[in-house]
Amino acid sequence: MSDTFDREKIVECMFDPTTSLILAQLEDGQKECSFLAEQSSVSESEVLERLSYLIEYGFILKNSNDGKCTLTANSEKLTSIVEDGDNFDATISGLEKMDSYLN
């Protein structure tokens, strides 16, 4: 796994309305993909598709045991993206995008 990732794409993923709903569920800890799919009203494969970039770069940790897929947020890494001073403008842009979806 490389640490070279597109920060803007990470922020875009994080602030997508559906993806942010999924991420909010992961704040409490590890969750099964089926639970996340049910809570966000999408299929399990769509949950994994929406989080694929975050999984690829270790922002979300995916584990498959006994045929069950579970996901865990790497809170430190996710927080570092939002708090990074160089990324502040991209974060604001992401928030503005999310606000435009909500309005």
Side-chain angles (χ1 to χ4, degrees):
M1 175 176 21
S2 169
D3 282 343
T4 306
F5 53 84
D6 182 343
R7 289 183 181 280
E8 189 173 316
K9 189 168 181 175
I10 295 292
V11 170
E12 190 175 302
C13 289
M14 288 173 63
F15 290 106
D16 170 81
T18 303
T19 306
S20 64
L21 235 171
I22 296 167
L23 291 173
Q25 294 295 323
L26 293 172
E27 286 179 2
D28 302 4
Q30 180 175 310
K31 300 284 187 305
E32 286 189 14
C33 292
S34 58
F35 173 80
L36 296 169
E38 183 181 315
Q39 294 298 308
S40 57
S41 302
V42 297
S43 67
E44 286 183 51
S45 61
E46 187 172 344
V47 167
L48 293 173
E49 182 181 320
R50 287 179 172 277
L51 298 176
S52 64
Y53 197 75
L54 298 172
I55 292 168
E56 180 179 348
Y57 289 100
F59 291 89
I60 301 293
L61 308 172
K62 179 183 170 191
N63 191 8
S64 297
N65 284 332
D66 301 326
K68 291 182 181 178
C69 169
T70 57
L71 299 172
T72 308
N74 183 337
S75 300
E76 276 185 35
K77 205 165 181 179
L78 287 168
T79 301
S80 73
I81 287 293
V82 177
E83 291 178 348
D84 184 357
D86 295 338
N87 198 39
F88 187 73
D89 290 337
T91 303
I92 296 299
S93 176
L95 288 170
E96 289 171 347
K97 267 188 207 177
M98 187 169 66
D99 186 51
S100 71
Y101 289 127
L102 296 173
N103 291 328

